[in-house]
């Protein structure tokens, strides 16, 4: 890793992907991905639709397990531990690796109960009021909702809902937060608030964000991975990793021609 | 002058309006007929007195039949609702897209098409009758409750499964993503979100069951005294009282049949209104 990255110490790898391929039944979605996610940095996954960036994201918390016919070849490890080893309980894993989805999806419950849901699942013994307040403060939502914690989460605006979802993910005190196009359903001002929030969150969490918005990737991330799709001999489409480097390099002096074309808006 | 096409459109609009009006008229006709014939007998006596035998010319009520109907329906609810909701949870959550769940789904539809008299005969055969392969309980609220439960079950399963399926998938994913097991996801998130719609389905099933007569003739029979056991004596119900009294020679009994019809309609109306309220609370 080059010395001009912002963090002072050489960063530890949280999630290591080694030559991973992902299949849904006979369909190969991703091929030969090797990618190291550094600790407490923001890694952006960019690329055209269908390149498999969301698929890869969902491999990290094993959410793809719910999809019929899903399987992964190669190795994905979390702090050195094979994620797909038989002794790994995906339910436990998802407490360590939280997720924020594309569309804000608060539970049809009060704001308070939305946040308390995760901790209650494991019988959290501490002060719940305190945890709710802390999580809401960390997600920069506290001031807007502190007087209406009993209100339904669905009554909030889209941007507030998404920050509620972030607070909900934080409340279980994860290590990594996966974000699947978290701003694609939001207006520009809400988007900006979430982007500011990401800079705060990376002090404590490792963040991986999938985004269609190249400006967003260049604004918020430390590392960027560019994915592309190619046609296979049989006419199928398979995603692969083209280039992975510091965000600055990807956007200013990429090695690959297709990266250059994509980040300059030539296709995608 | 309007073109023929416009005239045709106006004519068809009128026709559909007429059809809608007739549908409304039929309901109004039933309600007013029942009120006119039964309204005059409505008094506290109806709920506190026992039904008169044919030779008694005045008075009496059907307190025992009202209790019998409530009891029978309650047993049916207690049997069919928990069972039906759990089955629906399997169909739409745990067993989604399995062969077994599609078989059960299909058979539930078949079950909802079984005529109520057949269900009555079945309940008579396995619970009431004193011979052969039967629980040999005799005519009773239990037997009636079981028959009604069988009739309610497919309605409960159908509506509950639909209610669960209408809960958006991203809410499930959110719960799973927070480290919830599938069980926790279903029982803490999906089921609570579906409860208002499930309540509506249950109310509709109750309204259907409360008015059933054929299976009750075969399972609860009728009686002129108060009910003091769930199993032993024949259990009078409102619908069977209407069936027995409406066509009899006694003027007094005929009037009571009308009054019982009125109370039955009122019960169904109240359950429908309650289910409406349950939906509204959701929005």
């Amino acid at each position: 890793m080059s010395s001009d990255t912002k963090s002072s110490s050489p960063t530890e790898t949280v999630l290591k992907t080694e030559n991973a391929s992902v299949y849904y039944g006979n369909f190969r979605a991703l091929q030969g991905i090797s990618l190291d996610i550094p600790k407490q940095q923001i890694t952006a996954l960019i690329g055209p639709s269908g390149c498999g960036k969301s698929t890869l994201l969902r491999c990290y918390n094993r959410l793809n397990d719910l999809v019929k016919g899903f399987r992964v070849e190669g190795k994905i490890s979390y702090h050195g531990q094979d994620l797909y080893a038989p002794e790994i309980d995906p339910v436990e894993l998802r407490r360590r690796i939280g997720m924020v989805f594309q569309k804000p999806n608060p539970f049809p419950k009060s704001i308070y109960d939305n946040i308390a849901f995760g901790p209650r699942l494991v019988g959290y013994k501490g002060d719940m009021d305190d945890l709710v307040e802390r999580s809401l403060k960390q997600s920069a939502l506290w001031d807007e909702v502190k007087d209406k914690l009993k209100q339904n989460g669905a009554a909030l605006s889209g941007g507030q809902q998404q920050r509620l979802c972030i607070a909900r993910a934080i409340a279980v005190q994860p290590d990594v937060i996966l974000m699947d196009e978290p701003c694609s359903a939001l207006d520009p001002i809400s988007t900006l608030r979430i982007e500011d929030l990401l800079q705060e969150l990376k002090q404590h969490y490792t963040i991986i964000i999938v985004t269609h918005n190249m400006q967003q990737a260049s604004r918020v991330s430390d590392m960027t991975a560019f994915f592309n799709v190619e046609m296979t001999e049989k006419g199928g489409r398979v995603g692969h990793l083209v280039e992975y480097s510091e965000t600055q390099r990807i956007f200013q002096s990429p090695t690959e021609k297709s990266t250059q074309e994509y980040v300059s808006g030539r296709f995608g | 002058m309007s073109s023929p096409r416009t005239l045709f459109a106006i004519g068809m609009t009128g026709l559909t309006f007429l059809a809608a009006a007739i549908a409304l008229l039929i309901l109004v006709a039933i309600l007013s007929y029942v009120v006119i014939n039964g309204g005059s007998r409505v008094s506290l006596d109806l709920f506190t007195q026992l039904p008169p035998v044919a030779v008694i010319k005045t008075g009496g009520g059907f307190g025992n039949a009202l209790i019998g109907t409530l009891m029978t329906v309650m047993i049916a609810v207690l049997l069919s609702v928990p069972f039906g909701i759990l089955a629906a949870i399997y169909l739409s959550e745990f067993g989604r897209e399995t062969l077994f769940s599609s078989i059960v789904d299909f058979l539930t539809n078949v079950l909802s098409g079984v005529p109520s008299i057949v269900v009555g005969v079945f309940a008579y055969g396995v619970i009431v009758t004193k011979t052969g392969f039967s629980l040999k309980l005799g005519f009773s609220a239990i037997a009636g409750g079981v028959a009604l439960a069988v009739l309610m079950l497919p309605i409960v399963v159908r509506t509950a499964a639909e209610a669960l399926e209408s809960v958006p998938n991203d809410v499930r994913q959110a719960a799973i993503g927070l480290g919830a097991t599938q069980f926790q996801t279903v029982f803490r998130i999906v089921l609570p979100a579906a409860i208002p719609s499930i309540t509506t389905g249950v109310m509709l099933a109750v309204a259907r069951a409360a008015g059933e007569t054929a299976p009750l003739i075969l399972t609860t029979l009728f009686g002129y005294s108060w009910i003091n056991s769930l199993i032993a004596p024949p259990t009078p119900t409102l619908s069977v009282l209407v069936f027995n009294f409406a066509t009899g020679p006694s003027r007094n009994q005929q009037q009571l049949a009308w009054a019982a019809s009125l109370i039955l309609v009122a019960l169904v109306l109240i359950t429908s209104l309650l289910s409406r309220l349950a939906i509204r609370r959701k929005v």
Side-chain angles (χ1 to χ4, degrees), chain A residues 58 63 68 91 94-95 101 103 105 107-109 117 120-121 168, chain B residues 97 170-171 173-181 184 188-189 193:
Chain A
R58 282 158 186 257
L63 208 62
K68 235 182 190 171
V91 170
R94 293 182 195 124
R95 310 190 54 76
F101 294 80
K103 207 176 125 221
N105 52 359
F107 299 130
K109 292 172 176 286
F117 176 79
R120 276 178 188 153
L121 288 175
R168 184 175 67 184
Chain B
E97 288 167 26
D170 37 346
V171 175
Q173 295 230 329
I176 299 280
L178 282 167
T181 61
Q184 288 171 321
R188 299 195 187 196
I189 299 291

Side-chain angles (χ1 to χ4, degrees), chain B residues 58-241:
Chain B
T58 55
F62 40 72
N64 61 348
L66 185 63
I67 293 171
T69 290
L70 294 178
M71 247 167 62
T72 314
V73 170
M74 189 63 72
I75 292 168
V77 167
L78 290 178
L79 289 175
S80 66
V81 169
F83 199 58
I85 290 177
L86 286 176
I89 288 173
Y90 182 80
L91 290 185
S92 71
E93 303 291 326
F94 299 124
R96 211 177 240 193
E97 288 167 26
T98 59
L99 180 66
F100 180 67
S101 89
S102 45
I103 291 171
V104 173
D105 192 51
F106 173 72
L107 292 181
T108 309
N109 283 337
V110 174
L111 183 60
S112 70
V114 173
S116 60
I117 187 78
V118 175
V119 173
V121 168
F122 168 74
Y124 175 81
V126 298
I127 300 175
V128 178
T129 183
K130 304 282 187 187
T131 57
F133 180 74
S134 166
L135 293 174
K136 305 184 175 66
L137 287 180
F139 294 101
S140 58
I142 292 273
V146 169
L148 294 186
V150 173
L151 290 170
M152 284 175 70
L153 190 64
I155 307 178
V156 174
V157 173
R158 262 279 63 76
T159 52
E162 270 162 28
L164 292 166
E165 272 156 25
S166 72
V167 175
N169 222 357
D170 37 346
V171 175
R172 285 185 189 84
Q173 295 230 329
I176 299 280
L178 282 167
T181 61
Q182 201 188 2
F183 179 84
Q184 288 171 321
T185 304
V186 169
F187 281 86
R188 299 195 187 196
I189 299 291
V190 181
L191 189 60
I195 282 290
S197 319
I198 293 177
T199 310
T200 312
V202 169
M203 294 290 189
L204 288 174
V206 165
R208 159 97 201 267
E212 275 296 344
T213 317
L216 293 184
I217 295 171
L218 289 160
T219 50
T220 60
L221 216 60
F222 190 67
Y224 289 87
S225 52
W226 294 103
I227 308 155
N228 52 24
S229 161
L230 284 179
I231 42 177
T235 306
T237 57
L238 289 177
S239 52
V240 177
L241 180 131

Side-chain angles (χ1 to χ4, degrees), chain B residues 232-262:
Chain B
T235 306
T237 57
L238 289 177
S239 52
V240 177
L241 180 131
V242 173
F243 173 76
N244 283 346
F245 284 8
T247 52
S250 159
R251 183 85 197 102
N252 189 26
Q253 286 191 341
Q254 285 172 15
Q255 284 174 349
L256 279 176
W258 282 112
S261 307
L262 180 60

